[in-house]
Every structure is written in structure tokens, then in C-alpha cells.
Amino acid sequence: MNRRDFLRRSAALGISTALAGSMLSNVASAADKPKRGGHLLIGLNGANAGDSLDPATFTASHLQVTGLQLYNTLVEVDSGLDVRAKPSAQPSLAEKWEAKPGAKEWIFKIRKDVTFHNGKPLTAADVVYSLNHHRKPDSKSGAKSLFAPVADIKANGTHEVVITLNSGNADLPYLLADYHLGIGPEGDDFTKGIGTGAFMLENYEPGVRTLTKRNPNHFRSDRGFVDSVETIAINDPTARLNALISGSVHLINRVDPKAVLSLSRNKGVQVFEILGPSHYTFPMRCDIAPFNNKDLRLAMKFAIDRQAIIDKVLVGHGKIGNDQPIGSTDLFYANIAQRPFDPEKAKFHFKNSGHNAPVVLSVSDGAFTGAVDAAQIYQASAKKAGIDLQIDRVPADGYWDNVWMKKPWCASYWDGRPTADLMLSVVYKSDASWNETFWKRADFDKLLETARAELNVSKRKKMYYDLQQMVHEDGGEVIPMFNNTIDAGSSKVKGFVALPTNLMSGYRAPEKVWLET
């Protein structure tokens, strides 16, 4: 298929010319022959002075990408070099796995050719120790809720791990690809950053930068091409863009959609864009006033002009959202009737709520690129319903420590997860560490656990539909849009394959790409 045919078929599928061009660039880049050497510079958002290299604490892009330079997980979700393939669970530290009937007991075979950065050989005991790191009663891990259904994790010999669940889970391998679940040496302190990753830690300044060098003993010959990686914290989206254009960095994440057109005309830059499950949100805390009132939550859901935000903030680089987090590309996506912008219904529910004061939205572009503009559009549409939406502009620095899950209402984003179960478990289950709306329903939790254990796909679809319906109708998330994932890089960067699951090629761009000199 030539370029013209590809673009014509893409148009028939509703894929924009810009996005189709980006996909073609990915194919061409992936087909190049890797070269070794060079110092890769990456500018990423989401860094804070209080950050730690303990994977249990990772919350945002800077450490998600840094962490996977240092640590490997048992499983990866990847599509390899075939950008047209749907990402799936692939072996990493686990070379293979199998489930017993009913998917309650899983056996993972651990690779025998892996050593940690300190020279210690990888064993099953290291895996058990690392996974149990997230199961401790006092654990603050973002992955703690993922292990709630786990009854036991034990080593069977030196290179086999057996995980026993309270109930079956057909998606367990996908769960084990979560970026929190990096494997470290038994008994070691995770904040040292000692893993089995393609790069070893040289220097770490929290909230500033991380320097790593290539691991000469890494077990994969198809990863880790550059000699060193410097991951620089650049929280401001304009500063990131300028750093790329000026040649100060080779790669940046979360490109402002408004800049894509001009970037695509710059021969020294390439844009990596893909549609996936990533979405922007305005989470309302359901545990405190005024958002503990369902009528007020519904008022704010009807008061947002989603299409205006798509047009003016994403400038077409995304799709409309419907206050539930599962994207249309997911097997279990629920095609619920789209909630419209309806000032009269917003006015009705606002009156029913009994709330007669302004509602305050704390926002910063540190939450997502264009968050402040989106809030201003939201403010204008809410005004048509007679709702006084006041914007509290807060600093980008420290946003995730001081605003998110602290303020009653703020802006947020999610890169999505490879399965519907994982997305709903991480953010919506009552005991989830990142339940950013503090929305809690026992019937939701029970149905989620039932759906996870059900192996009949048709029955699962019905259950996941009902779960998404609960979130759509009763939850605290306003989800106006699913955004295309847009990264960008110097034309010198080769081997970058955009993945729908996460930005920066599934957070693994540093180990996948190489530099043309």
C-alpha cells in the first residue's frame, strides 16, 4: 500500500490526515535500523520536588517514563514494531505464563538470564518481594487496590512465581504490566532505583532531572540504544515546546494540539499522535460539599459545552467524552447515549441541589495542556445555565501534591489503561488509592469483582456496560473529551512507535529509540 492509498483508507475510517500522517511516520521510523550511541534528552511534565524513585509512588509522566528506564515489570503491554497491531500482554521478566482453569491460579516463569544493576541475579524471591511491596497494610501504592483480589504470592523454586486470587481474573497479565510494579532486589530500598532496566541511575534530583546510563548487561538486545538519558522536568507546555524547537531536548510529551499544525511544517521536528483511551477530566469530590449532592453533579455535567472544548482546546485532536472513562476502542466500551450540553437541565438540577453559591474549579495547565482554556469555556457555558462557575488558577508546580485529590473540584487526566477492568479498578473502585472523586458504591465494587472473574465475553460486556452507566449517571467525573496522545521529537529520533495505551511509546521511549547523527 502506498502513501496515497494509506491516506485514502484512513480518511474512509474517519482518521484525520494529520493523524494518518503521524501513523505513517511511525511505520517508517520503526523500519529504520537501530544505531547505538548518543545522549538522549527528554522534556516531560508531571515532576514535583517531593517525588521518589519508589515505583509505588509514581503518579505522573516524569516518573512514569524515568521509572521504566530503571525497572522492568513481569509483563509489558506493547505492539512491537507493528503500529497497526492492538497492544497486548508481552513477556518481559516473565518469559511465559499460564492460568489454571477458572483463572484463580496463575503460574509465571521468570527469566534466568537477568541481573539487577548491582549484579545480583533475578530470582522468584525478588518478584514476590516486589509485588508484596504494594500489598502491605500501610502501603500508599497507587497499585494497592489492584492486589485486593490477590490471596497469595509465592515462589515455587528459584524461577517460578505462583499468584493465587480470591476469584478468577482473565486480565491478570495486563495488571502486572502496570508501571508501579517494577521489580527490585529482595530486601532492597526502592528509592535507590536499582532494577533490571535498560538504564542505570547516575543522578536524581527530584522535580528537576534524572540522569541514567545504558545498562551493558540488559537482557534485551532490542532495547537501550543510546548511551545515556537525561530526563528533564519541564512542567510548562510552552517551555517544553520551545525546548524541542530550539534543540535543547530530543523528545517532549503532551504537545498542545494548537501547536501540531505548525510543528508538522517544521522539517526538524516530527509529531507522534495516536487516538486511544487518554482523557481529560474535572473530578468532583463526592465526599464533601457541595459535590456530595448528586443533583449538583448532574448540573455540572449538563452545563459543559463539550464540543466547544473539543473545537477550541483540542482543535479536533480528540473525541467527545461522556462522563465515563472507557474509550470507544475498548472491547467493553459502553455506547451510552451522549449527554448533551443542556442549560435547561443544568438549571433544573442546580435548583434541585439547593446550592445557591458559586462553584469553584481549581485549575492549572499543569493538570493537562489547555486546562485553563477549557475551564474558561466551561465557565461561559455554565453561565448560560445561571451557574456561577469561578476559576481558581493555581500554580503548575506542586499541582499533583497540593491540588489534586485535595481541592473539592479540579482538573486531571488519565492516560487510560489496557483493559476496562484496570481503568475502573484504579480510579473508581471505592478503596482505590487514586479514586480522585472519592465516589464509593458497594454495588459498583461487587459488580466489578464479578465482571473480572467472568470468562464469558458476552456476560462481561453486559456487566461493564452497567458499571460505566453507574459512573456516567452517579459518579463525580466530568469527562468532556478523549484526547489524542501527542508527543513530538527531533527528526534525529528514530524507532519511536506511538502506542494508544500510554504516551512516550508506552512510557518506554528512552529504551526503544535511537539517534541519527
Side-chain angles (χ1 to χ4, degrees), residues 1-22:
M1 185 186 301
N2 61 30
R3 179 182 178 86
R4 179 177 296 177
D5 290 339
F6 182 86
L7 293 175
R8 186 167 56 244
R9 292 191 185 187
S10 297
L13 292 170
I15 299 173
S16 70
T17 301
L19 182 53
S22 178

Side-chain angles (χ1 to χ4, degrees), residues 281-285 288 291 300 359-363 378 389-390 392 399 403 406-411 476 478:
T281 74
F282 294 111
M284 301 176 281
R285 285 190 58 167
I288 54 177
F291 301 109
M300 302 318 300
V359 287
V360 179
L361 174 60
S362 299
V363 68
Y378 199 171
L389 190 164
Q390 296 187 356
D392 170 31
Y399 183 85
V403 178
K406 304 286 193 312
K407 297 285 188 178
W409 197 22
C410 67
V478 178

Side-chain angles (χ1 to χ4, degrees), residues 206 326 382:
I326 308 304

Side-chain angles (χ1 to χ4, degrees), residues 241 245 257-267 269 271:
L241 196 62
I245 294 172
K258 295 174 183 174
V260 169
L261 182 59
S262 62
L263 272 184
S264 63
R265 292 170 176 164
N266 186 333
K267 293 183 179 178
V269 171
V271 177

